[in-house]
Amino acid sequence: MLKRARLSLPVLLAAVLTVCSAADEPEDYFEFTCPKPDGQFEDPYQCDKYYECNDGRVKEQLCPDGLVFNPASKLVNKCDQVFNVDCGDRKELQPPRPIGVCPRQNGFFPHPDSSICNIFYNCINGRELEMTCVAGLHFYEPTGTCVWPDMANRQGCGSNANKKLNDGFQCPKNAQKMDKNGQIITHPNYPHPDDCQRFYICLNGIEPRQGTCDQGMVYNEDLQRCDDPENVPGCEDWYNSSETDRDA
């Protein structure tokens, strides 16, 4: 005659709790284990999440919105700009928290008007600082820097495009231009002799390109950038004259 096995109440409760815990646990559940007792370590899935270990005790942390965790950083604060970090398989990010022109609260972002390629924003905790590339350059979001338009290859930039020359201009040989601080300008600009809106750019001082200011602006050689016509002697009435008068 078979006897039924009888379970004590504590054993029965433990079994029920184990089953419930397994059922409630999500399929993608991940529990981080400190590889070392102390330090900061990246999450394997989310680029802006990391873990801070203190005597083996782990605390989950998030970088400020827009920044990501840089495990290679030697700094105490390892949250860094996106373009400085290779996230690899860490594709996930926290949901963005946009404010104004900042799609995320931290980072470098292009102007919301895609036709404006030389203006960008440095967002710090949701407060934006408008910045302008030097004449002839466009903002390139993957590097957070200003580069030559053919490198940025941004759509909709129109007349701002930087073009290789076919009009015979050559960069002055052995000529060095200095900025207002006395520093040598690596890529000096030169005004066009007949067109206030256009100018020449000498890459590394030797390779000529042509730049064009936005409509309504003219090139200011003293500032090495595009400026309002009234600030450039001889170009004050550039847009008031007819195209026929300009070409004459």
Side-chain angles (χ1 to χ4, degrees), residues 6 16 29 75 92 122 145 154 163 167 169 173 190 198 225 248:
R6 300 182 63 183
V16 171
Y29 176 77
L75 301 176
E92 299 176 16
N122 178 13
T145 59
R154 292 179 56 182
K163 305 173 183 176
D167 67 355
F169 173 83
K173 293 183 179 179
Y190 299 90
R198 290 190 289 164
R225 62 176 174 81

Side-chain angles (χ1 to χ4, degrees), residues 18-239:
T18 300
V19 172
C20 291
S21 297
D24 293 340
E25 191 173 279
E27 292 182 1
D28 59 351
Y29 176 77
F30 169 75
E31 183 175 356
F32 183 82
T33 302
C34 294
K36 296 179 180 179
D38 299 286
Q40 295 176 336
F41 307 95
E42 70 270 28
D43 181 87
Y45 307 107
Q46 185 169 328
C47 201
D48 54 5
K49 181 189 291 187
Y50 65 99
Y51 300 92
E52 190 168 343
C53 294
N54 186 4
D55 284 337
R57 295 187 298 272
V58 61
K59 184 178 181 180
E60 183 179 299
Q61 303 277 25
L62 273 179
C63 290
D65 178 36
L67 303 182
V68 294
F69 183 75
N70 187 355
S73 175
K74 304 299 182 183
L75 301 176
V76 175
N77 181 4
K78 300 182 185 301
C79 292
D80 204 344
Q81 299 289 343
V82 173
F83 47 77
N84 290 332
V85 183
D86 180 8
C87 288
D89 293 331
R90 298 183 292 146
K91 306 293 186 184
E92 299 176 16
L93 293 171
Q94 62 183 292
R97 292 184 289 150
I99 297 179
V101 298
C102 300
R104 286 187 179 271
Q105 294 191 17
N106 296 275
F108 291 81
F109 304 101
H111 194 283
D113 183 343
S114 61
S115 67
I116 301 177
C117 299
N118 64 327
I119 294 177
F120 62 102
Y121 296 95
N122 178 13
C123 294
I124 303 173
N125 296 325
R127 300 185 64 181
E128 78 275 6
L129 174 64
E130 183 177 293
M131 308 185 76
T132 303
C133 297
V134 298
L137 301 187
H138 290 169
F139 175 67
Y140 187 49
E141 190 170 4
T143 61
T145 59
C146 297
V147 301
W148 301 113
D150 55 350
M151 296 173 61
N153 195 29
R154 292 179 56 182
Q155 300 299 314
C157 294
S159 63
N160 284 325
N162 178 292
K163 305 173 183 176
K164 291 189 176 181
L165 291 182
N166 56 11
D167 67 355
F169 173 83
Q170 293 185 349
C171 296
K173 293 183 179 179
N174 302 318
Q176 291 184 338
K177 272 199 170 187
M178 305 285 187
D179 62 18
K180 60 183 180 180
N181 297 317
Q183 300 295 316
I184 296 175
I185 300 173
T186 305
H187 310 293
N189 297 338
Y190 299 90
H192 191 283
D194 305 314
D195 192 329
C196 286
Q197 192 178 358
R198 290 190 289 164
F199 57 96
Y200 298 111
I201 306 164
C202 290
L203 304 185
N204 297 312
I206 57 174
E207 183 182 344
R209 299 283 186 92
Q210 180 179 288
T212 305
C213 295
D214 289 334
Q215 187 69 20
M217 305 286 280
V218 298
Y219 181 68
N220 187 327
E221 185 178 17
D222 293 335
L223 299 179
Q224 288 277 295
R225 62 176 174 81
C226 297
D227 199 359
D228 293 321
E230 61 263 26
N231 297 329
V232 183
C235 293
E236 300 94 330
D237 298 322
W238 177 252
Y239 289 99

